[in-house]
Amino acid sequence: MVLTFRWYDEPDPVGLDRIRQIPGLSGIVAALYDLKPGEAWPEYRVAALRARIEAAGLDWRVIESIPVHEEIKYGGPERDARIEAWIDSARSVAKVLGPRSPSGSEEPVVITYNFMPVFDWTRSDLGKLLPDGSKALAYEEEVVAKMDPLEGELELPGWLAHYSRSDLYRLLQRWREIGPEELWSNIAYFLRAVVPVVEELGMRLAIHPDDPPWPIFGIPRIITDSTALRRLLSIVDSRANSICLCSGSFGVLASNDLVAMAEEFSDRISFVHLRNVKITGPRSFQESAHWSSSGSLDMAAIVRALIASGYSGPFRPDHGRMIWGEEGRPGYGLHDRALGAQYLLGLVDATRLSLRSTS
Ligand code: DNO
């Protein structure tokens, strides 16, 4: 497995020069974050970003994300045009990064995306104070149930689209009339259009699960468990139609067995987000440090399952807590993610050793 790290470009207080000092790290996860969902990525912009990442001695391994425009998700009249723009972006990525990553490794370039309507990942608290003085992202169903997204009570810096109040109102109205089956047929329409192109370009598409994996504000969410993944993969049976296994997103549902998922889907996983979460109640959780004992997930068992089933692609530490007084983009500070990276590398090494001694 190859260690990677997410970087948000210039507004990111965590610079490439610091990221480069994390032992074992060379792969960057990035995107053109200033372009709106549905805008085609010009090749020169992708090339400029690649050049900056490489000038820092790093390698752009994963695109996270080329966002999917809402018209595509709800099947609006402009969806074909938006899909064309998405494909144009993928073509720019393929031209600049090539079918293989710049380091010439065997891993194809991966494009992560999600199909969550309106809101991307959602939390009720961006800085929940933990007993050790660190701050973490948290989600409490009771708090979210009382929130009004139209009042701007809920805004996350990780979200790509920020809507005006009236646009958001219209979108929410629209989504309340759309059920999960319609969302499934819209994702099928999208995948049938884009997967053949991504495949031909020698890249892979990796869906990020819904975070959290249940409907919020009366809007459906469908990428929630193994049953959903089986259905998604069967829509287009191609290696290019693949999964980003995010332990923290799936893991907040105790019924999701991450080890079993890693084993079952290993040949269709193209990217892995590794983070731990502590389930604090029904539909409620706090993000914890990456260490297995800090949360509800057995991170060691998940890493072992991935490696033992043959996964060798990119992974990244996911959200970290804010520790040692760091301030920054919630979930994406340097220190705790760097600690997580080292812990995960330790698990990878230990797994390799133990698999060697049992084979
Ligand atoms: C949150 C991230 C997500 C993810 C997108 C992928 O921190 O894991 O925002 O990047 O859902 O499209």
Side-chain angles (χ1 to χ4, degrees):
M1 301 214 291
V2 182
L3 175 64
T4 62
F5 207 78
R6 192 173 197 175
W7 172 64
Y8 276 98
D9 204 350
E10 277 321 324
D12 192 342
V14 184
L16 290 172
D17 53 338
R18 293 181 177 202
I19 293 175
R20 193 183 173 190
Q21 293 171 356
I22 299 170
L25 197 273
S26 62
I28 291 295
V29 177
L32 297 180
Y33 293 112
D34 60 317
L35 299 185
K36 292 202 182 68
E39 250 181 83
W41 292 9
E43 211 180 301
Y44 79 93
R45 289 289 318 276
V46 183
L49 193 57
R50 172 185 170 167
R52 285 173 47 223
I53 292 171
E54 289 182 4
L58 295 161
D59 177 16
W60 189 2
R61 300 285 302 223
V62 178
I63 316 299
E64 183 174 347
S65 309
I66 301 182
V68 177
H69 192 271
E70 285 299 305
E71 284 270 328
I72 301 174
K73 295 183 204 158
Y74 62 66
E78 281 176 34
R79 81 164 145 187
D80 288 336
R82 300 300 189 174
I83 289 177
E84 271 319 304
W86 194 98
I87 289 175
D88 285 347
S89 301
R91 288 193 194 285
S92 296
V93 167
K95 278 214 188 108
V96 174
L97 295 180
R100 309 235 171 261
S101 80
S103 66
S105 81
E106 288 308 303
E107 290 297 324
V109 169
V110 177
I111 302 175
T112 313
Y113 71 105
N114 74 70
F115 221 75
M116 288 177 251
V118 194
F119 309 106
D120 194 310
W121 58 292
T122 301
R123 299 289 182 271
S124 54
D125 193 341
L126 295 181
K128 176 149 187 95
L129 194 60
L130 302 184
D132 64 3
S134 61
K135 289 184 184 156
L137 299 161
Y139 184 100
E140 273 177 57
E141 182 75 350
E142 270 179 28
V143 178
V144 175
K146 287 189 206 127
M147 281 180 161
D148 181 358
L150 287 172
E151 288 307 322
E153 285 182 44
L154 159 108
E155 285 238 320
L156 284 181
W159 290 353
L160 290 157
H162 291 277
Y163 304 101
S164 67
R165 203 183 139 96
S166 55
D167 283 351
L168 192 56
Y169 180 78
R170 261 188 288 117
L171 263 178
L172 291 175
Q173 289 304 106
R174 180 152 209 161
W175 276 107
R176 290 198 169 126
E177 287 154 21
I178 297 178
E181 279 310 311
E182 213 171 324
L183 192 53
W184 273 111
S185 83
N186 294 342
I187 199 170
Y189 187 95
F190 171 70
L191 289 175
R192 290 193 185 110
V194 302
V195 172
V197 181
V198 170
E199 184 179 78
E200 197 193 308
L201 293 170
M203 305 191 296
R204 282 183 190 160
L205 198 57
I207 192 154
H208 186 281
D210 299 347
D211 181 6
W214 50 71
I216 55 169
F217 306 121
I219 302 173
R221 288 185 164 212
I222 53 174
I223 309 300
T224 56
D225 58 13
S226 295
T227 311
L229 290 179
R230 280 178 216 123
R231 181 169 178 179
L232 178 107
L233 296 179
S234 71
I235 293 171
V236 183
D237 188 17
S238 154
R239 185 64 183 83
N241 176 24
S242 68
I243 300 167
C244 165
L245 190 77
C246 175
S247 63
S249 301
F250 284 126
V252 298
L253 277 180
S255 51
N256 279 335
D257 177 347
L258 262 304
V259 170
M261 291 169 108
E263 286 165 353
E264 175 176 352
F265 300 111
S266 62
D267 60 347
R268 294 289 283 275
I269 295 173
S270 296
F271 188 30
V272 179
H273 287 181
L274 289 170
R275 74 180 153 85
N276 206 348
V277 282
K278 192 175 206 159
I279 300 176
T280 51
R283 295 199 165 178
S284 296
F285 58 88
Q286 279 168 15
E287 298 191 355
S288 56
H290 286 72
W291 187 37
S292 293
S293 305
S294 300
S296 303
L297 303 182
D298 188 342
M299 303 303 289
I302 298 168
V303 168
R304 188 187 164 91
L306 283 164
I307 297 178
S309 10
Y311 182 72
S312 60
F315 72 98
R316 67 170 177 84
D318 204 355
H319 305 165
R321 300 158 304 141
M322 285 298 167
I323 60 172
W324 303 332
E326 185 176 13
E327 284 178 13
R329 182 183 280 270
Y332 287 95
L334 173 65
H335 304 321
D336 202 36
R337 284 193 298 151
L339 287 180
Q342 293 312 292
Y343 170 63
L344 295 170
L345 279 184
L347 291 182
V348 171
D349 284 354
T351 303
R352 282 210 191 101
L353 261 186
S354 83
L355 290 176
R356 208 181 297 151
S357 62
T358 51
S359 67

